[in-house]
Amino acid sequence: AYERTCRYFCRKTNSVVVCVGYRLAPEHPFPAQFEDCLTAAIHFLRTAQDHGVDPSRIVICGDSSGGTLTAAVTQALVNRRDLPKLRAQILIYPFLQCVDLNLPSYQQNERVPILLKERTLVLGLKYVNKDLCLEELFKGCHVSEDRRLKYQKWVSPDCIPHEFKTRGYKPHPTYPPSKQMCEVAEPMFDPIFSPLLAEDSVIAQLPESFILTCEFDVLRDDGLLYKKRLEDHGIKVTWCHLQEGFHGTV
């Protein structure tokens, strides 16, 4: 599916493009995909010159779940003193958090193909190999009070610009957490799965970033929230918003 896209990027940018054939879930559950991408990134950073590539000009790029992996790998590399620094990261409508599944974009676009709200969660649960009640997830019962308090400064409708709430948005009621749900959902709060939840000390070291969001996409607000976090830490962000765009538009 991505062969032509990668060849297009290669031609148009006059770049060497490396496409990682990482193992897929559910046969290989989380975090096998992240581990494969990180291994490939480290190998290429170490051997870039063998491929005629300047090690100081390497960019990691991904779309959708590939955007999640891009963000996670970029975060994992910030403290590696034995490797060249990444030049930039490119996140194309990435999935970045599972704390709030009722952000404005989730409400507005829950029935917009191809990434319906319910499908997003079904795929995410297959990825982490967990069996959780979708209705309870949508209510936020998987988020403990401690986590809710910690993450509200990063994941909240209050952090979304007003213009993205005009197309229909209602503040969602807060439901009490379920202890069982919280325990089973634990891996979903790992920054490898939800990069938006990384600590400030990691976010502050990230490279220059490009973030693409689409108006008709449940994941739109994940990109907007990450953009705000990066900018709050002084990271240079180039943001492209496709007003007529939808998930999978690449």
Side-chain angles (χ1 to χ4, degrees):
Y2 281 83
E3 176 83 5
R4 289 182 66 190
T5 305
C6 290
R7 288 181 178 274
Y8 176 83
F9 285 152
C10 187
R11 283 199 314 273
K12 289 292 184 179
T13 63
N14 192 29
S15 303
V16 171
V17 174
V18 178
C19 186
V20 183
Y22 56 82
R23 290 169 290 172
L24 302 177
E27 293 81 6
H28 302 280
F30 168 86
Q33 297 72 21
F34 163 77
E35 290 167 352
D36 288 353
C37 289
L38 180 61
T39 299
I42 290 170
H43 176 73
F44 191 71
L45 282 162
R46 284 178 173 155
T47 62
Q49 289 175 321
D50 297 346
H51 305 278
V53 173
D54 180 347
S56 69
R57 298 186 66 188
I58 294 174
V59 177
I60 300 188
C61 169
D63 77 310
S64 193
S65 58
T68 316
L69 292 165
T70 295
V73 168
T74 303
Q75 290 179 4
L77 292 172
V78 295
N79 288 316
R80 292 292 297 257
R81 301 288 173 251
D82 58 324
L83 297 169
K85 291 286 185 189
L86 290 174
R87 172 64 184 86
Q89 62 174 343
I90 296 173
L91 310 177
I92 301 172
Y93 40 73
F95 170 92
L96 296 170
Q97 62 85 30
C98 64
V99 175
D100 190 340
L101 305 168
N102 288 288
L103 292 169
S105 62
Y106 269 104
Q107 290 189 24
Q108 295 161 351
N109 303 308
E110 62 179 339
R111 294 184 181 87
V112 176
I114 55 175
L115 195 62
L116 312 180
K117 178 175 176 176
E118 189 170 307
R119 180 177 290 170
T120 307
L121 267 293
V122 169
L123 293 173
L125 290 173
K126 283 189 183 297
Y127 182 39
V128 288
N129 201 22
K130 298 293 179 184
D131 186 16
L132 291 166
C133 172
L134 290 183
E135 189 176 342
E136 298 291 289
L137 275 171
F138 291 141
K139 286 181 177 180
C141 299
H142 63 300
V143 187
S144 67
E145 289 296 340
D146 288 349
R147 288 194 189 280
R148 197 167 285 162
L149 285 170
K150 178 178 181 178
Y151 297 142
Q152 65 183 3
K153 62 183 180 292
W154 302 332
V155 186
S156 166
D158 296 340
C159 299
I160 304 293
H162 176 71
E163 65 261 32
F164 293 101
K165 300 175 187 173
T166 57
R167 197 162 50 85
Y169 165 67
K170 292 181 181 177
H172 194 260
T174 301
Y175 293 91
S178 155
K179 186 177 180 184
Q180 183 183 0
M181 286 278 291
C182 292
E183 288 174 358
V184 177
E186 182 77 23
M188 299 171 71
F189 299 102
D190 188 323
I192 293 172
F193 183 85
S194 297
L196 185 57
L197 308 183
E199 297 296 334
D200 286 338
S201 57
V202 172
I203 299 292
Q205 298 183 72
L206 291 173
E208 184 176 350
S209 303
F210 175 95
I211 298 175
L212 183 139
T213 54
C214 292
E215 179 61 29
F216 299 101
D217 180 7
V218 290
L219 302 182
R220 179 196 69 202
D221 293 349
D222 282 23
L224 295 177
L225 291 172
Y226 206 49
K227 170 181 179 286
K228 182 180 187 306
R229 275 205 79 191
L230 293 171
E231 289 177 337
D232 285 350
H233 284 277
I235 309 299
K236 183 180 178 184
V237 178
T238 300
W239 173 51
C240 175
H241 182 66
L242 302 183
Q243 198 62 50
E244 304 293 324
F246 54 90
H247 196 85
T249 199
V250 161

